[in-house]
Amino acid sequence: MGNNLKEIRKKIVSVQNTQKTTRAMKLVSTSKLKKAEEMARQSRLYAEKLNEVFDDLIAKLKARGLNSINSKYFLKSNEHSVGVIDIIVITSDKGLCGGFNAATIKEAMRLRRYYQDKGIKVRIRGVGRKGIAYFTFNNIEVLDKAIGLSSMPDYNKSTQFIRNVLEDFLSGKTDEIIVLHNGFKNMLTQELKSRKIIPFDLNDCEEVKKDDFILIEPDDEEDKVLEELAEKYFEYNMYYALIDSLAAEHSARMQAMDAATNNAGELVKSLTVSYNKARQEAITTELVEINAGVEAMK
């Protein structure tokens, strides 16, 4: 009985130590989430303004006719032959964040099967250790591997990554590029975001009033401005996806550690009850033995 009490005490101490660790990790994730959330907010404002300028310029050129736009980045009609699709899958470099990575990987596999069933070749480009490890373990080729970029988004490294993808698109090695990541919605919720960033579909561009058009001088450089702006648009959308994913990762980890802390607390309570019962049984057994001994001595 004494050994049983010692084992239960060891378990209680072990769970309490784990609880301290998970509580500390929750506090760390909460602090990091606030910073990442603020970074995402500022980046979102820049991205929205960039998108406004981009849409405005496209609308101006579209008003002249689609044939006035000469760039491989833009899709002029629905007759677009797709043979190869690149999916950029963004996951975290670290675990202990609940189903954050599992949801992203599951969606990536669904998209992969969906396009393969249509006879389209799918190439995976991985950002984040967890996703890369999964695809490698399942013998799925990962064309590009970026480790450390999702946990510490860097604009220059992000730009280099997306430029390699753009080169394959411009050279005709791939026909479409999709960015997939688990994004930040609020402190308690993450949402999967899958977006085709290349080519840009001109048919989705909303009509803009003529008075709202931005002015570009001289007119003969509009194509050049559009090309440069398109590259900036793709580069920054990639960077923003990394920041958005990081904020969602900290949110998911904060929730996971909070749940782990609560579960540890419940387990300590359960073990404490078991310990008290075992201790009571031990005391009762000792009293019975003492009484039996006294009776035997009479």
Side-chain angles (χ1 to χ4, degrees), residues 184-219:
F184 178 81
K185 188 173 183 180
N186 54 52
M187 292 282 286
L188 301 176
T189 310
Q190 302 84 45
E191 61 178 347
L192 283 171
K193 297 180 181 179
S194 176
R195 182 180 182 187
K196 182 185 78 172
I197 62 170
I198 304 174
F200 189 87
D201 194 346
L202 292 171
N203 295 306
D204 293 337
C205 179
E206 297 180 358
E207 295 294 335
V208 180
K209 294 180 181 179
K210 188 174 181 180
D211 295 339
D212 295 334
F213 286 151
I214 58 175
L215 298 177
I216 303 175
E217 296 181 356
D219 287 343

Side-chain angles (χ1 to χ4, degrees), residues 98-283:
F100 175 80
N101 292 311
T104 307
I105 293 171
K106 182 179 179 180
E107 178 63 13
M109 296 301 291
R110 188 195 69 80
L111 285 175
R112 183 170 179 266
R113 289 192 299 270
Y114 173 78
Y115 287 116
Q116 286 180 337
D117 289 343
K118 290 187 172 185
I120 299 173
K121 180 181 179 181
V122 177
R123 306 193 304 177
I124 300 294
R125 296 177 184 263
V127 178
R129 190 185 304 274
K130 293 300 179 180
I132 293 172
Y134 175 87
F135 294 124
T136 302
F137 180 79
N138 288 276
N139 297 318
I140 298 175
E141 182 183 3
V142 181
L143 194 61
D144 283 341
K145 300 178 182 179
I147 296 176
L149 187 57
S150 60
S151 57
M152 296 184 66
D154 179 85
Y155 185 78
N156 292 328
K157 293 180 180 179
S158 170
T159 297
Q160 184 59 51
F161 183 90
I162 196 65
R163 280 181 180 173
N164 292 335
V165 183
L166 291 176
E167 287 179 5
D168 277 3
F169 176 80
L170 294 175
S171 63
K173 293 181 180 178
T174 184
D175 302 305
E176 283 188 8
I177 297 169
I178 296 174
V179 175
L180 171 64
H181 72 284
N182 211 339
F184 178 81
K185 188 173 183 180
N186 54 52
M187 292 282 286
L188 301 176
T189 310
Q190 302 84 45
E191 61 178 347
L192 283 171
K193 297 180 181 179
S194 176
R195 182 180 182 187
K196 182 185 78 172
I197 62 170
I198 304 174
F200 189 87
D201 194 346
L202 292 171
N203 295 306
D204 293 337
C205 179
E206 297 180 358
E207 295 294 335
V208 180
K209 294 180 181 179
K210 188 174 181 180
D211 295 339
D212 295 334
F213 286 151
I214 58 175
L215 298 177
I216 303 175
E217 296 181 356
D219 287 343
D220 59 358
E221 292 191 1
E222 286 178 345
D223 285 341
K224 181 180 179 182
V225 172
L226 182 62
E227 195 84 7
E228 293 178 354
L229 191 58
E231 292 180 2
K232 183 64 67 176
Y233 172 86
F234 300 135
E235 291 170 3
Y236 201 82
N237 272 274
M238 177 66 194
Y239 178 63
Y240 175 71
L242 291 171
I243 294 176
D244 191 34
S245 176
L246 180 61
E249 177 190 342
H250 289 315
S251 172
R253 184 171 291 109
M254 181 190 72
Q255 289 179 268
M257 292 302 100
D258 181 56
T261 301
N262 293 335
N263 290 338
E266 293 297 322
L267 185 55
V268 168
K269 290 180 182 179
S270 177
L271 289 171
T272 301
V273 171
S274 299
Y275 176 80
N276 290 335
K277 286 182 179 179
R279 185 168 176 270
Q280 189 64 44
E281 289 176 4
I283 294 172

